[in-house]
Each structure stands twice: as structure tokens, then as C-alpha cells.
Amino acid sequence: MQVCSNNQQILHAVSTWKAQGKTIAFVPTMGGLHAGHLSLVHQAKANADKVVVSIFVNPTQFGKNEDFDHYPKTLEQDLTKLEACQVDAVFTPSKEQIYPNGYTSHVKAGSLAQGLCSKSRPGHFDGVVQVVHRLFEIITPNVAIFGQKDYQQLLVIRQMVETLSLPISILSGDIVREQSGLAMSTRNQYLSVDEKETALKLYQVLIQLKQAVLKNQDLSVAIHNSKATLSQDFKIEYLSVFDANTLKSITDNTSKIAILCAVFLGSTRLIDNIIFNQG
Ligand code: AMP
């Protein structure tokens, strides 16, 4: 496994593979790797000849009062996990490699970035789109894999690729959960043992809400009830039931539904979702 800490190294690896006619799958991450990330790596391996994983905590997607400074950094363990998955190259750039002096990006997040996470994290998706576009520019993958865990992000990336006509297939990976049902997240490290116990209620509420939707119960009543349950343990940022393609209200044309939520448990922000077919 090659560990490339600068652009020249990864460019060399990628151009060598391309000259050999190999295809490349790319999995962008911010490190603090868990089984959710590794499931994307396995999917990448199944979809291309070579797999590149990036580990870069992107400053431009964090707000002023967010956890950029103490975001978990576990590079040694991450590399061990990726080596065990037989990843071909890990790209671990510095901020200067990604945003060299004078670098400007004109790429902005599209309409799907509106609402949901953007409400509390203004500019977040512009930062995500900026870094992913830059990483795509350097790595030029054939395929890139993103987790459904960050569902709005997945749609925003797909929209960017479509708008810019980038020759990259975007695949999504299912949410990997703890046995308790809690969606795996690097930020789960912030939770105390008691909080982890409480956190699993989030997924339980989402499942109940899904059942209510499938039974055609009044949507606003069902959401209201779910919020009432959630608010016993969490500070709710949003809990929405939307068309999974448009991230807008459900219509007669809706075929796939997304239940999406963001909550705070103490000072830790958790997001989760369920995507399912309409009845
Ligand atoms: P992050 O390191 O948090 O930026 O995440 C990197 C990628 O891993 C993103 O595409 C996430 O959606 C994905 N991811 C994070 N958590 C999970 C999970 N529990 N299951 C599947 N994919 C995940």
C-alpha cells in the first residue's frame, strides 16, 4: 500500500495505473476510520482495479464553532485498517497540498444543499464540494464511493458531478450500524457510555416513523409524535420526511422516501436517515 502525502506521489501512482489501463475507485474520508468507511473500501474494490482512499480533515467544511480542532486523528490505526483491506494507495495531503497559495474554487454546492444540514451549517456543503472537486481533480477516479449516512452530501456530490459533466460514477454505500442500531460515526467517540445507550433511541424513532409513513398515517402527526419522543433525550435540529430524490415534500410522483434527522446529544451532533420505497 502506497502512502502518498503529496500531490506528486499520488499523481505518479495514478498515472502509472492509468497507463496500464487500470480503473480507479476513490473513497474520500476524514480519517477516524470505522467499519462504515471500510465497507465503502470493499465496495470500491469490487468496482475498479485500484483503490485510493484519502484522509484529509477539510477545514473549509467546518463552521467556526465546530470540532475542526479536535476532530479525531488516528492515522496509524487508519493505515493499519486500510492495509488489511489491501487498499492500493492512501492519500494523506496537507492543507497546502489541497489548497496551495492563491488557490480559488468556483465550484459551489447546488440546490440540493439547501435546507436540512445547511440550516445549522451554512457553507458546509460549499466546503464539501470544494474539497471533493479538488480531490477528483488530483485523483481523476473512474468511480467514487460515498456513504448514505451523509445522504444530503451524497445528493449534493451527485448534483455537482452531473452539473459539471464529470466522467466519474458516484456509488453509494449503505449505512453501517453498531449492533445497537446506532449509525457508526467518527464522532461517536465523543459519546460517553451512557450517551451511547441513549443514542440508539434515534434509530428506533426513525424506524417507528417509517412504519407510520408506510401505514399512511397523517404525516404531520407522525412527525410531531416522533419529535416528542426524540426531544426527551435529544435536542432536535431537524426531523424531516422528504422525497428522497428532491429533498422536498412528498408528492404523488414520489417513489422513494427519505426520513432524515440531525440531533444533538449533549454537545455531540448525530445525523441519521432511512431511505425506502413508497408503499
Ligand atoms: P467522513 O470520514 O465522516 O467524512 O466519511 C467518509 C465517508 O464515509 C462518507 O462518504 C460517509 O458518508 C461515509 N460514512 C460515514 N459513516 C458511515 C457509516 N456508518 N456507514 C457507511 N458509510 C459511512
Side-chain angles (χ1 to χ4, degrees):
M1 183 176 84
Q2 301 182 45
V3 180
C4 306
S5 59
N6 66 53
N7 297 350
Q8 288 67 36
Q9 290 167 339
I10 193 71
L11 285 169
H12 182 258
V14 165
S15 59
T16 305
W17 293 329
K18 291 215 160 173
Q20 295 165 353
K22 307 280 188 207
T23 56
I24 295 166
F26 174 46
V27 181
T29 82
M30 298 203 299
L33 300 185
H34 50 68
H37 296 111
L38 302 183
S39 72
L40 304 185
V41 170
H42 291 302
Q43 203 173 334
K45 284 176 73 76
N47 281 282
D49 302 317
K50 298 286 177 184
V51 173
V52 178
V53 176
S54 65
I55 297 178
F56 179 63
V57 184
N58 173 39
T60 69
Q61 70 188 69
F62 285 78
K64 267 200 188 105
N65 299 317
E66 294 182 356
D67 55 347
F68 176 71
D69 286 333
H70 52 272
Y71 194 81
K73 289 177 188 68
T74 56
L75 185 60
E76 285 300 309
Q77 294 100 302
D78 291 350
L79 293 179
T80 304
K81 289 174 187 172
L82 295 175
E83 177 103 64
C85 294
Q86 296 176 316
V87 162
D88 298 284
V90 185
F91 183 39
T92 58
S94 63
K95 191 177 154 215
E96 289 69 31
Q97 295 289 317
I98 296 296
Y99 304 122
N101 246 345
Y103 176 81
T104 51
S105 169
H106 303 295
V107 187
K108 295 265 180 232
S111 56
L112 290 164
Q114 282 163 22
L116 298 169
C117 285
S118 282
K119 279 198 178 155
S120 65
R121 308 188 75 189
H124 166 69
F125 288 116
D126 284 334
V128 168
V129 156
Q130 183 183 39
V131 75
V132 170
H133 185 258
R134 178 76 178 123
L135 289 166
F136 282 180
E137 198 171 66
I138 297 167
I139 293 163
T140 59
N142 304 87
V143 180
I145 331 279
F146 292 83
Q148 184 204 295
K149 162 82 172 20
D150 299 273
Y151 188 70
Q152 190 178 15
Q153 167 175 286
L154 170 68
L155 294 198
V156 166
I157 299 295
R158 284 215 163 111
Q159 190 174 40
M160 172 191 80
V161 165
E162 214 173 286
T163 308
L164 301 177
S165 305
L166 301 180
I168 301 170
S169 304
I170 303 298
L171 301 182
S172 85
D174 291 344
I175 301 177
V176 176
R177 298 178 180 279
E178 308 279 357
Q179 269 194 338
S180 66
L182 174 64
M184 288 192 183
S185 165
T186 303
R187 289 187 169 100
N188 290 353
Q189 295 178 31
Y190 299 152
L191 300 172
S192 67
V193 175
D194 285 350
E195 283 177 329
K196 270 201 160 181
E197 187 88 358
T198 305
L200 60 93
K201 293 184 190 172
L202 181 58
Y203 185 47
Q204 292 167 356
V205 171
L206 295 189
I207 290 173
Q208 282 160 11
L209 183 52
K210 175 184 168 183
Q211 299 310 333
V213 173
L214 287 174
K215 284 183 197 152
N216 273 324
Q217 288 179 10
D218 183 286
L219 197 53
S220 52
V221 173
I223 293 174
H224 175 85
N225 291 342
S226 297
K227 282 186 173 173
T229 309
L230 273 181
S231 61
Q232 292 168 15
D233 296 294
F234 305 94
K235 191 170 149 272
I236 303 168
E237 204 179 279
Y238 62 79
L239 173 66
S240 305
V241 181
F242 280 158
D243 181 302
N245 294 316
T246 61
L247 298 185
K248 294 205 166 86
S249 298
I250 292 170
T251 68
D252 291 344
N253 293 326
T254 297
S255 56
K256 216 165 50 151
I257 294 176
I259 299 178
L260 303 147
C261 73
V263 298
F264 272 92
L265 180 55
S267 55
T268 306
R269 186 172 182 272
L270 304 172
I271 60 170
D272 201 350
N273 65 73
I274 304 188
I275 314 295
F276 55 100
N277 288 329
Q278 165 92 291

